[in-house]
Amino acid sequence: MSALLLLFVFSAALIISLIVTPFVIRFAHKVGATDKPNSRKVHIAAMPSAGGLAIFISFIAVLFFVHPDAPYEYNKIAIMAGAFVIVLVGLLDDIYEIKARTKLAGQIVAALIVVYWGGIQVEYINLPFDGQLDFGIMSIPITIFWIVGITNTINLIDGLDGLAAGVSSFALLTISGMALIKGDMFVAVTALIVTGSTLGFLKFNFFPAKVFMGDTGALFLGYIISVLSLLGFKNVTFISLVVPIIILGVPISDTFFAIIRRIVNKQPIAAPDKSHLHHCLLRVGFSHKQTVLLIYALAASFGLAALIFSMSTVWGAILFVAILVIAIEIFVEKIGLVSHDYKPLLKMLSASKGVNAKDRP
């Protein structure tokens, strides 16, 4: 029965999204939700935006009628209400380009709905070697920070045709798979609904795109991924808390190094630029489609890494994270994600090789 339910919700969401997206494209043209090219963007012609509305409509249409037997079922209405706020904020931005602080306020409102109405918050974690870290009154701001932070990381990688949709789909599939292993049907089913909705939209969004998801879609996907990862991994061990961070390795890494880049270059942290992961890969010679597919592969690798990590022992997990961090740093330095001169680890390795060469007879 569970397998049939999963197949049904995925297929229903996919089909509804395929049907709805062309109507959303027409709607975007009608209301003026278009993404115009500028110095930071890759596309050269105005494109209909707000395509994420199709993802949201498909998600709501299926989730409203599905009632998976799971411990978090009572959170469904709160999650849908928060999603509505997020989508409204994104849609207004796609049409009118509202101020950043207004968007942030809307994201905080959505997070507050999830926390206070839905009762979803990270209250404590069990530490690796013994004991428990209780967040106390900090549990609410920490939860809000997580939701708002992840919501915006997806928005930041939405720079190429199909990029955010594909990366989000890999993250959602990983969350769904791990929820199934834990027996959490609500998270598994909800993640699959969003995956089906996103893949249906991706048919129109992959290169060359007929529509962009806009802030409507990017903010919604970031929001729902952040909430589902909280449901699936909250109040557990420190090791398990790292799992959603690994699952979202691509957008989180890109956001983290964007902050480092702006600090190194003495720019405001919120300043936009054209040096994100996809920009760097394009500069080193990859085509538009190759860049997207390469980042898909990275996202899939992070999903697999999260699954392996969740099954590791404490010491194995610590070693795994250390190796992963070093690999990410080398990759970042190779493609110049921070800057062309930022290569501390590569320079250290090069210097070490030089010293070893001198010691040889």
Side-chain angles (χ1 to χ4, degrees):
M1 182 61 185
S2 297
L4 286 175
L5 175 64
L6 294 172
L7 180 61
F8 169 75
V9 296
F10 176 82
S11 302
L14 179 71
I15 292 167
I16 292 172
S17 184
L18 287 169
I19 294 170
V20 169
T21 301
F23 292 98
V24 170
I25 293 173
R26 292 177 208 164
F27 170 78
H29 280 298
K30 190 171 183 179
V31 300
T34 56
D35 193 334
K36 298 174 179 62
N38 60 36
S39 59
R40 291 188 300 107
K41 296 177 181 178
V42 175
H43 63 284
I44 57 175
M47 288 286 292
S49 189
L53 194 58
I55 300 174
F56 176 68
I57 291 170
S58 307
F59 164 74
I60 290 294
V62 179
L63 185 64
F64 188 79
F65 293 104
V66 174
H67 302 279
D69 183 18
Y72 301 115
E73 176 65 21
Y74 65 90
N75 291 319
K76 187 167 81 169
I77 302 301
I79 293 171
M80 292 169 74
F84 178 81
V85 171
I86 282 287
V87 168
L88 180 61
V89 169
L91 184 59
L92 288 173
D93 187 58
D94 286 333
I95 298 173
Y96 302 110
E97 294 187 10
I98 59 178
K99 294 180 179 178
R101 62 173 176 266
T102 305
K103 283 200 291 184
L104 179 60
Q107 293 165 25
I108 293 173
V109 169
L112 287 171
I113 290 172
V114 170
V115 170
Y116 284 103
W117 185 7
I120 302 169
Q121 56 185 279
V122 181
E123 297 170 354
Y124 65 87
I125 55 172
N126 295 314
L127 298 174
F129 299 104
D130 200 13
Q132 179 177 290
L133 178 60
D134 195 330
F135 292 123
I137 60 172
M138 291 302 295
S139 64
I140 292 175
I142 287 171
T143 305
I144 292 171
F145 178 80
W146 172 263
I147 293 173
V148 172
I150 298 304
T151 296
N152 283 288
T153 59
I154 299 299
N155 198 24
L156 285 174
I157 65 164
D158 186 26
L160 295 179
D161 298 358
L163 184 56
V167 169
S168 298
S169 295
F170 282 111
L172 288 160
L173 282 171
T174 306
I175 290 171
S176 182
M178 296 185 74
L180 276 176
I181 292 171
K182 291 177 61 182
D184 190 336
M185 282 299 291
F186 180 75
V187 172
V189 167
T190 306
L192 265 188
I193 292 172
V194 186
T195 306
S197 302
T198 306
L199 291 177
F201 169 78
L202 187 57
K203 180 184 183 300
F204 302 89
N205 181 235
F206 194 73
F207 182 81
K210 298 179 180 67
V211 60
F212 292 161
M213 67 168 60
D215 274 25
T216 308
L219 294 181
F220 168 68
L221 287 174
Y223 161 83
I224 201 67
I225 289 171
S226 69
V227 172
L228 290 177
S229 62
L230 281 178
L231 286 175
F233 306 104
K234 72 171 189 170
N235 296 345
V236 285
T237 65
F238 177 79
I239 299 300
S240 296
L241 191 67
V242 178
V243 169
I245 297 174
I246 297 176
I247 290 172
L248 296 163
V250 169
I252 288 178
S253 298
D254 194 28
T255 303
F256 173 77
F257 284 105
I259 294 170
I260 298 297
R261 179 171 63 249
R262 287 156 193 171
I263 291 173
V264 168
N265 296 327
K266 298 179 180 179
Q267 296 175 335
I269 289 177
D273 61 24
K274 203 170 182 179
S275 297
H276 285 284
L277 175 60
H278 52 278
H279 294 128
C280 292
L281 291 173
L282 287 170
R283 274 199 294 271
V284 298
F286 290 101
S287 69
H288 191 125
K289 186 180 287 188
Q290 287 172 337
T291 298
V292 172
L293 292 175
L294 178 57
I295 298 176
Y296 281 3
L298 288 173
S301 299
F302 274 111
L304 180 61
L307 187 61
I308 296 170
F309 178 87
S310 67
M311 298 176 181
S312 302
T313 61
V314 172
W315 284 111
I318 292 171
L319 179 62
F320 186 89
V321 168
I323 294 171
L324 190 63
V325 168
I326 292 170
I328 291 171
E329 176 64 21
I330 291 174
F331 179 74
V332 164
E333 293 180 20
K334 281 280 189 182
I335 66 170
L337 190 57
V338 174
S339 73
H340 292 297
D341 298 325
Y342 176 82
K343 300 183 188 301
L345 189 56
L346 289 176
K347 288 177 181 176
M348 186 175 71
L349 291 172
S350 178
S352 176
K353 286 179 181 177
V355 170
N356 291 335
K358 289 180 182 178
D359 290 340
R360 292 193 196 104

